[in-house]
Amino acid sequence: MESLPEETSNRSSSSSGGGGGGGGGGGEKLPVRPPIQPPSEKYSPLDWSAYFDQEADVSIPESENVFHVYTAGKEGPVVFCLHGGGYSGLSFALAARKIKQEARIVAMDLRGHGKSSTENELDLSIESLCGDVLAVLKTMYGDSPPAIVLVGHSMGGSVAVHVAAKKVLPSLAGLIVVDVVEGTAMASLMHMQKLLSNRMQYFPTIEKAIEWSVKGGTLRNIESARISIPSTVKYDDSKKCYVHRARLMETEQYWRGWYEGLSEKFLSSPVPKILLLAGTDRLDRALTIGQMQGKFQMVLVRHTGHAIQEDVPDEFATVVLNFISRNRIGPNGVEIPGLRRPMKSQQ
């Protein structure tokens, strides 16, 4: 579960009401009041199209579920990205600019998040979340999916691990889990309701939501906040303001299921894998032993917050692309240098 900051005072800089005081001696003109400044462009929203190539809605057959995805790239394996609780697929926007140069990337809005629409927005059970991911992959790629590298941040990391552990995705070629460890996550659950309730709940404008995310410490990269935060809030007509899109406080019954047994499932996944962490001293006992046995690669990224892919997107993208290169993951699976594939007949 992501580390959410305590509520920070979001003081708006309102101009003082006086009109320059009484005019002083004979005939002096009052100083001209400066014009009201428009909202600072520093926190203005940015459009997804500068980062991804396309967006699309994936309708799941025989259901009312429609999942929103952002895609980029034309060649290589598919880097399939799953965001954390309260985030959206645009959490990977900045990283997509670099990843799409050497691979394809798909970032999905999970249920109850972003622009996705589902029959039950509050059913964030691990079973439903895994089912959603597999349904989207099936709908997008049919029975012959390309090589898939699953990437998951926080809650999305637990979904990625559980999907991999099901062993029903034959083209799964790699697993990258971003800043989630079972022991740390389980220990933090008792504090999550307080953290969620203490964060700022209402925003007069999207710009204020972006500003809060940066000044409150959720994100450290202003450009990423400008592209990703607008998709994490929605306008509430009754309250006449913006509120958080994901109703996480109402999903507490599912939190434990995200993380219980996560370390063993991660270690048992029969594909190359990386655990990408934002700090040290985060491994629990099972992962410590697994790392000593060489069962996975651990990468520490310092000087960043919880959302590594947003705070240092170029560094994150480099880790992903190096992982693909080192494990020789091609568009259809493992590519062995020197082994020529049969040429496809020309139709």
Side-chain angles (χ1 to χ4, degrees), residues 25 31 97 102 109 136 160 179 188 219 267 272 309:
R97 288 190 301 193
E102 299 182 41
D109 286 344
V136 168
D179 212 41
S188 70
L219 300 177
L267 292 171
Q309 74 280 6

PDB file of all heavy atoms in Angstrom, residues 25 31 97 102 109 136 160 179 188 219 267 272 309:
ATOM      1  N   GLY A  25      -1.388  63.085   0.233  1.00  0.00           N
ATOM      2  CA  GLY A  25      -1.467  64.503  -0.071  1.00  0.00           C
ATOM      3  C   GLY A  25      -1.965  64.827  -1.454  1.00  0.00           C
ATOM      4  O   GLY A  25      -1.974  64.043  -2.356  1.00  0.00           O
ATOM      5  N   PRO A  31      -1.905  54.207  -6.286  1.00  0.00           N
ATOM      6  CA  PRO A  31      -1.113  53.257  -7.085  1.00  0.00           C
ATOM      7  C   PRO A  31      -2.028  52.295  -7.839  1.00  0.00           C
ATOM      8  O   PRO A  31      -3.069  51.892  -7.338  1.00  0.00           O
ATOM      9  CB  PRO A  31      -0.272  52.528  -6.024  1.00  0.00           C
ATOM     10  CG  PRO A  31      -0.989  52.728  -4.734  1.00  0.00           C
ATOM     11  CD  PRO A  31      -1.652  54.066  -4.842  1.00  0.00           C
ATOM     12  N   ARG A  97       7.878   7.519 -22.605  1.00  0.00           N
ATOM     13  CA  ARG A  97       8.620   8.196 -23.679  1.00  0.00           C
ATOM     14  C   ARG A  97       9.909   7.466 -24.024  1.00  0.00           C
ATOM     15  O   ARG A  97      10.313   7.420 -25.187  1.00  0.00           O
ATOM     16  CB  ARG A  97       8.934   9.638 -23.276  1.00  0.00           C
ATOM     17  CG  ARG A  97       7.746  10.568 -23.274  1.00  0.00           C
ATOM     18  CD  ARG A  97       8.150  12.011 -23.104  1.00  0.00           C
ATOM     19  NE  ARG A  97       8.888  12.240 -21.869  1.00  0.00           N
ATOM     20  CZ  ARG A  97       9.127  13.453 -21.373  1.00  0.00           C
ATOM     21  NH1 ARG A  97       8.709  14.521 -22.014  1.00  0.00           N
ATOM     22  NH2 ARG A  97       9.786  13.595 -20.244  1.00  0.00           N
ATOM     23  N   GLU A 102      12.183   1.214 -27.514  1.00  0.00           N
ATOM     24  CA  GLU A 102      12.737  -0.132 -27.677  1.00  0.00           C
ATOM     25  C   GLU A 102      11.743  -1.241 -27.372  1.00  0.00           C
ATOM     26  O   GLU A 102      12.056  -2.419 -27.561  1.00  0.00           O
ATOM     27  CB  GLU A 102      13.971  -0.286 -26.776  1.00  0.00           C
ATOM     28  CG  GLU A 102      15.091   0.684 -27.106  1.00  0.00           C
ATOM     29  CD  GLU A 102      16.321   0.477 -26.237  1.00  0.00           C
ATOM     30  OE1 GLU A 102      16.673  -0.688 -25.991  1.00  0.00           O
ATOM     31  OE2 GLU A 102      16.902   1.481 -25.793  1.00  0.00           O
ATOM     32  N   ASP A 109      -5.725   1.497 -16.606  1.00  0.00           N
ATOM     33  CA  ASP A 109      -6.423   2.014 -15.435  1.00  0.00           C
ATOM     34  C   ASP A 109      -7.162   0.849 -14.772  1.00  0.00           C
ATOM     35  O   ASP A 109      -8.066   0.260 -15.379  1.00  0.00           O
ATOM     36  CB  ASP A 109      -7.456   3.090 -15.835  1.00  0.00           C
ATOM     37  CG  ASP A 109      -6.828   4.413 -16.231  1.00  0.00           C
ATOM     38  OD1 ASP A 109      -5.641   4.622 -15.923  1.00  0.00           O
ATOM     39  OD2 ASP A 109      -7.532   5.235 -16.855  1.00  0.00           O
ATOM     40  N   VAL A 136      -8.289  -8.193 -19.837  1.00  0.00           N
ATOM     41  CA  VAL A 136      -7.798  -7.169 -20.759  1.00  0.00           C
ATOM     42  C   VAL A 136      -6.759  -7.762 -21.712  1.00  0.00           C
ATOM     43  O   VAL A 136      -6.799  -7.522 -22.932  1.00  0.00           O
ATOM     44  CB  VAL A 136      -7.212  -5.974 -19.981  1.00  0.00           C
ATOM     45  CG1 VAL A 136      -6.436  -5.040 -20.912  1.00  0.00           C
ATOM     46  CG2 VAL A 136      -8.321  -5.201 -19.278  1.00  0.00           C
ATOM     47  N   ALA A 160       0.372  -7.799 -10.075  1.00  0.00           N
ATOM     48  CA  ALA A 160       1.298  -8.416 -11.025  1.00  0.00           C
ATOM     49  C   ALA A 160       1.831  -9.742 -10.501  1.00  0.00           C
ATOM     50  O   ALA A 160       1.912 -10.731 -11.229  1.00  0.00           O
ATOM     51  CB  ALA A 160       2.452  -7.454 -11.323  1.00  0.00           C
ATOM     52  N   ASP A 179       8.475  -1.082  -5.397  1.00  0.00           N
ATOM     53  CA  ASP A 179       8.319  -0.534  -4.052  1.00  0.00           C
ATOM     54  C   ASP A 179       7.143  -1.110  -3.268  1.00  0.00           C
ATOM     55  O   ASP A 179       6.334  -0.367  -2.703  1.00  0.00           O
ATOM     56  CB  ASP A 179       8.217   1.000  -4.090  1.00  0.00           C
ATOM     57  CG  ASP A 179       8.836   1.620  -2.829  1.00  0.00           C
ATOM     58  OD1 ASP A 179       9.893   1.140  -2.396  1.00  0.00           O
ATOM     59  OD2 ASP A 179       8.257   2.571  -2.275  1.00  0.00           O
ATOM     60  N   SER A 188       1.965  -1.706   7.686  1.00  0.00           N
ATOM     61  CA  SER A 188       1.427  -0.353   7.509  1.00  0.00           C
ATOM     62  C   SER A 188      -0.092  -0.323   7.423  1.00  0.00           C
ATOM     63  O   SER A 188      -0.693   0.754   7.490  1.00  0.00           O
ATOM     64  CB  SER A 188       2.007   0.271   6.236  1.00  0.00           C
ATOM     65  OG  SER A 188       1.486  -0.375   5.081  1.00  0.00           O
ATOM     66  N   LEU A 219       4.267  13.141  -4.787  1.00  0.00           N
ATOM     67  CA  LEU A 219       5.115  13.079  -5.974  1.00  0.00           C
ATOM     68  C   LEU A 219       6.203  14.139  -5.872  1.00  0.00           C
ATOM     69  O   LEU A 219       5.987  15.201  -5.272  1.00  0.00           O
ATOM     70  CB  LEU A 219       4.299  13.296  -7.248  1.00  0.00           C
ATOM     71  CG  LEU A 219       3.174  12.292  -7.514  1.00  0.00           C
ATOM     72  CD1 LEU A 219       2.411  12.682  -8.769  1.00  0.00           C
ATOM     73  CD2 LEU A 219       3.725  10.876  -7.642  1.00  0.00           C
ATOM     74  N   LEU A 267       8.655 -15.018  -5.142  1.00  0.00           N
ATOM     75  CA  LEU A 267       9.831 -15.888  -5.281  1.00  0.00           C
ATOM     76  C   LEU A 267       9.540 -17.111  -6.138  1.00  0.00           C
ATOM     77  O   LEU A 267      10.430 -17.633  -6.825  1.00  0.00           O
ATOM     78  CB  LEU A 267      10.318 -16.324  -3.895  1.00  0.00           C
ATOM     79  CG  LEU A 267      10.913 -15.210  -3.025  1.00  0.00           C
ATOM     80  CD1 LEU A 267      11.141 -15.711  -1.602  1.00  0.00           C
ATOM     81  CD2 LEU A 267      12.213 -14.688  -3.615  1.00  0.00           C
ATOM     82  N   PRO A 272      12.214 -14.402 -14.962  1.00  0.00           N
ATOM     83  CA  PRO A 272      13.158 -13.412 -14.429  1.00  0.00           C
ATOM     84  C   PRO A 272      12.390 -12.288 -13.736  1.00  0.00           C
ATOM     85  O   PRO A 272      11.315 -11.886 -14.195  1.00  0.00           O
ATOM     86  CB  PRO A 272      13.885 -12.898 -15.675  1.00  0.00           C
ATOM     87  CG  PRO A 272      13.719 -13.984 -16.693  1.00  0.00           C
ATOM     88  CD  PRO A 272      12.383 -14.598 -16.422  1.00  0.00           C
ATOM     89  N   GLN A 309       8.540   5.383 -10.546  1.00  0.00           N
ATOM     90  CA  GLN A 309       8.333   5.575 -11.986  1.00  0.00           C
ATOM     91  C   GLN A 309       7.951   7.009 -12.328  1.00  0.00           C
ATOM     92  O   GLN A 309       8.167   7.457 -13.453  1.00  0.00           O
ATOM     93  CB  GLN A 309       7.274   4.598 -12.511  1.00  0.00           C
ATOM     94  CG  GLN A 309       5.846   4.920 -12.126  1.00  0.00           C
ATOM     95  CD  GLN A 309       5.476   4.484 -10.723  1.00  0.00           C
ATOM     96  OE1 GLN A 309       6.315   4.023  -9.961  1.00  0.00           O
ATOM     97  NE2 GLN A 309       4.209   4.601 -10.371  1.00  0.00           N
TER      98      GLN A 309
END
